[in-house]
């Protein structure tokens, strides 16, 4: 760390490198945005999916579950629960609806959210849409 | 301490430590819920405890960064803080907002809180780490702007050192990337893509600038090594940080619907992210070895060296462990992620905040050069207790993670999530017991502040 390699050289690498790689990141982001529509099937994002995502957020489901591998690791992955439940939205609705308010003794429990039928349908539709995103074949198997 | 106004940092440091305690208590609650599923259910569901744990962490680290800035920047700039009054006012606003938010998490049903705070108008809630009500987020932005104005003016009117400049760039970056938390499109893929612009570009980007400049400051003060040398190291480290870390964001784009080229880009660039962390380790040890004086604050030097080592282990080694796409395919969103999250956050950001607190607190409390030897010995015990605990917590979670990946994702007949969790419960028990040791270390840490006396400056 001596000789020709001075502090101002180091500073120039910092500024130059940061700006260059940030701009490259922005360019790659634009490219990603162009290719996303084929992968996320946004044509299927209807009113129900939009409401479903809102319900998902308003109940903080991510605080126990992962969704596409991101979130908390306390409860099962849900991006593929639609497939795990035999491609049945009814099964998802029934599961959420049937949570006992006082929990299951001795077992990790999910709250009873007392959702309306409209909200239940919506969150199930949101999970169905999520399961159809092209996510490079993740998770490795149906157990998530 | 050379400038009176530096002492506003004290408020921030005290609040930071109080929130640290809250964070750990809720970590222990969750740790127990992992193995006794119905513990405190339905009073404090797991997701609520988790919000308190992670949000308290983020807020106390931000408090620590702000305190660090208020302490360092006037001294580096060789002038009083632009407005100490503003710093105090913003402290109380920030503390009140954080306290009210935590209280609301614990007393109000989250969905009701969302309704109450108008989440319908500008939905930003319910995403990991960004669970705060939108008004709290706006409050954070207001506090950040006032804070940046205050320290920005101080830097402008005083001496412009590299440390101040890097700190300022890091803090401005922190505020700018937080703005992405207000962008929450209804398309989940877009939401996730830009969520990482806050989360990843914080911890593997601009926060590393803050980390580097705090470390550089404490090393200048405690070792007396020439400023030119230290500042050159700082520039090289942060250059490597951003050169590798920006495109390294790609390691979060493998499985969320983004195009597959991110598997290559993310793997290559994030595999180089350990380099700046390794340089930080070398930096800390080299500077201490070349020291020109024996600073009486041995504890602060220990924290600085510890930061170098633990940041490299947690972020560098445990990050590298699962960052290559073919590995991440199996480990994504498992206990391996949690293992890495704990050691990286502790090793890099908890430890650097405790470093500056260790250095600055005795001086703000009017002690000559450092705390008494006795206080330092207790503080160093707490260093070892907390640090060794986090190492073991990480090892137990890694063990749990390897078994989880094997049983649930890799073996011939994969088992359901809940079945696997029961099979690996032993590791969660060990994590919880180690967490209690961590808490003991934290209690000892706080006790060290109440031991009187001081050591003379060298
Ligand atoms: C000492 C006792 C501690 C215990 C028992 C504990 C426990 C936990 C638990 C159970 C989770 C939730 C994991 C999940 O989502 O399923 C968690 C998350 C987290 N904790 Fe702790 N924790 C402790 C200390 C700490 C410390 C000291 C830090 C910071 C340095 C920390 C930082 C985090 C972070 C960043 C997360 C989110 C992790 C992620 O999303 O991958 N925790 N902790
Ligand atoms: C101090 C710096 C760092 C901190 C505080 C940190 C913290 C975290 C946290 C909390 C998560 C979990 C995020 C979530 O909940 O979804 C995470 C994920 C991840 N980190 Fe880091 N990290 C740091 C540096 C690094 C580095 C240098 C690497 C690579 C060498 C890395 C690789 C990863 C990867 C690959 C994931 C995704 C895990 C998954 O797929 O589930 N991290 N990090
Ligand atoms: Fe990352």
């Amino acid at each position: 760390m001596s000789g020709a390699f001075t502090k101002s050289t180091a500073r120039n690498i910092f500024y130059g490198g940061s700006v260059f790689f940030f701009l490259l990141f922005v360019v790659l982001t634009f490219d990603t945005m162009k290719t996303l529509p084929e992968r996320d099937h946004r044509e299927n994002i209807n009113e129900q999916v939009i409401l479903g995502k809102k319900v998902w957020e308003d109940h903080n489901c991510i605080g126990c579950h992962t969704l596409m591998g991101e979130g908390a690791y306390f409860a099962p992955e849900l991006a593929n629960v639609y497939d795990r439940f035999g491609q049945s939205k009814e099964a998802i609705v029934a599961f959420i609806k049937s949570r006992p308010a006082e929990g299951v003794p001795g077992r990790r429990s999910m709250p009873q959210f007392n959702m309306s039928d409209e909200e239940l349908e919506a969150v199930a539709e949101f999970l169905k849409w999520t399961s159809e995103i092209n996510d490079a074949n993740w998770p490795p198997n149906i157990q998530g | 301490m050379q400038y009176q106004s530096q002492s506003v940092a004290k408020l921030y440091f005290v609040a930071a430590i109080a929130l640290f305690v809250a964070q750990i208590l809720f970590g222990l609650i969750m740790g127990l819920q992992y193995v006794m599923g119905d513990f405190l259910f339905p009073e404090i569901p797991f997701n609520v405890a988790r919000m308190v744990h992670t949000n308290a962490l983020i807020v106390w680290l931000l408090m620590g960064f702000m305190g660090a800035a208020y302490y360092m920047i006037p001294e580096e700039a060789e002038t009083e803080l632009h407005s100490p009054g503003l710093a105090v006012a913003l402290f109380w606003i920030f503390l009140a907002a954080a306290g009210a938010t935590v209280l609301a998490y614990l007393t109000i049903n989250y969905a009701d809180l969302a309704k109450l705070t108008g989440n319908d108008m500008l939905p930003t809630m319910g995403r990991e780490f960004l669970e705060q009500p939108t008004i709290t987020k706006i409050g954070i932005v207001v506090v950040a702007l006032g804070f940046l104005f205050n320290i920005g003016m101080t830097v402008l009117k005083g001496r412009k050192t590299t440390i101040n400049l890097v700190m300022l760039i890091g803090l401005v970056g922190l505020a700018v990337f937080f703005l992405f938390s207000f962008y929450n499109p209804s398309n989940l893929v877009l939401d996730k893509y830009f969520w990482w612009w806050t989360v990843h570009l914080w911890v593997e980007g601009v926060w590393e600038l803050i980390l580097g400049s705090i470390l550089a400051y404490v090393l200048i003060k405690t070792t007396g090594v020439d400023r030119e040398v230290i500042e050159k190291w700082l520039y090289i480290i942060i250059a490597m940080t951003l050169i590798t870390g920006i495109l390294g964001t790609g390691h979060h784009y493998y499985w969320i619907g983004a195009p597959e080229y991110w598997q290559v880009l993310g793997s290559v660039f994030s595999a180089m992210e350990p380099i700046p962390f390794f340089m930080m380790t070398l930096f800390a040890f080299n500077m201490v070895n070349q020291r020109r004086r024996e600073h009486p604050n041995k504890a602060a030097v220990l924290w600085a060296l510890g930061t170098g080592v633990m940041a490299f282990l947690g972020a560098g080694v445990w990050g590298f462990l699962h960052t290559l796409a073919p590995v991440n395919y199996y480990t994504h969103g498992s206990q391996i992620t949690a293992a890495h999250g704990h050691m990286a956050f502790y090793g890099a950001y908890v430890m650097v905040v405790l470093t500056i607190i260790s250095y600055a607190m005795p001086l703000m409390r009017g002690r000559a050069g450092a705390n008494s030897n006795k206080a330092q010995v207790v503080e160093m015990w707490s260093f070892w207790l907390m640090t060794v605990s986090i190492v073991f917590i990480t090892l137990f979670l890694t063990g749990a993670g390897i078994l989880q990946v094997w049983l649930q994702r890799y073996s011939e007949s994969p088992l359901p999530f809940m079945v696997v969790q029961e099979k690996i419960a032993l590791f969660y028990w060990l994590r919880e017991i180690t967490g209690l040791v961590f808490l003991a270390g934290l209690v000892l840490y706080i006790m060290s502040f109440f031991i009187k006396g001081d050591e003379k400056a060298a």
Side-chain angles (χ1 to χ4, degrees), chain A residues 45-46 48-57 61 67 78-79 82 89 92 119-133, chain B residues 186-189 191-192:
Chain A
I45 303 182
N46 54 29
Q48 242 189 347
V49 173
I50 293 172
L51 176 64
K53 183 165 184 280
K54 186 80 180 13
V55 171
W56 170 268
E57 289 165 358
C61 312
L67 188 64
L78 294 183
Y82 175 72
K89 287 199 286 179
I92 295 177
E119 289 172 327
L120 285 163
E121 284 295 324
V123 81
E125 180 68 23
F126 167 67
L127 291 173
K128 172 177 183 287
W129 172 78
T130 305
S131 76
E132 287 158 359
I133 297 168
Chain B
S186 47
N187 183 338
L188 181 71
V189 178
D191 170 6
K192 283 176 175 291

Side-chain angles (χ1 to χ4, degrees), chain B residues 141-194:
Chain B
V141 171
V142 171
V143 169
L145 286 178
F147 162 73
L148 288 174
F149 168 74
N150 207 355
I151 58 166
M153 292 301 284
T154 312
V155 170
L156 275 182
K157 79 175 176 192
R159 183 174 68 139
K160 287 153 198 71
T161 66
T162 300
I163 287 180
N164 268 359
L165 207 64
V166 173
M167 186 77 175
L168 199 58
I169 298 174
L171 291 165
V172 169
L174 186 158
V176 168
F177 288 113
F178 183 67
L179 296 179
F180 285 92
S181 73
F182 291 94
Y183 177 63
N184 181 19
S186 47
N187 183 338
L188 181 71
V189 178
L190 288 178
D191 170 6
K192 283 176 175 291
Y193 189 93
F194 289 103

Side-chain angles (χ1 to χ4, degrees), chain A residues 71-74, chain B residues 20 23-24 27-28 30-31 34 46 50 53-54 57 128-129 337-338 341-342 345-346 350 390 393 431-432 435 438:
Chain A
Y73 322 112
F74 183 73
Chain B
F20 185 14
Q23 183 216 335
I24 297 307
L28 289 168
M30 275 193 292
Y34 246 76
F46 180 86
R50 195 181 201 275
H53 183 64
T54 56
L57 168 68
E128 192 190 7
F129 303 128
T337 310
H342 278 85
F345 255 109
Y346 177 82
V350 170
I390 216 76
I393 287 175
R431 181 261 304 264
E432 182 72 350
F438 189 100

Side-chain angles (χ1 to χ4, degrees), chain A residues 85-114:
Chain A
F85 280 10
Q87 309 217 318
S88 162
K89 287 199 286 179
E90 292 72 35
I92 295 177
V93 168
F95 186 94
I96 300 172
K97 228 172 158 170
S98 65
R99 292 304 92 202
E102 294 303 312
V104 184
R107 189 176 167 91
R108 293 185 194 175
S109 303
M110 171 162 148
Q112 171 53 257
F113 294 109
N114 298 314

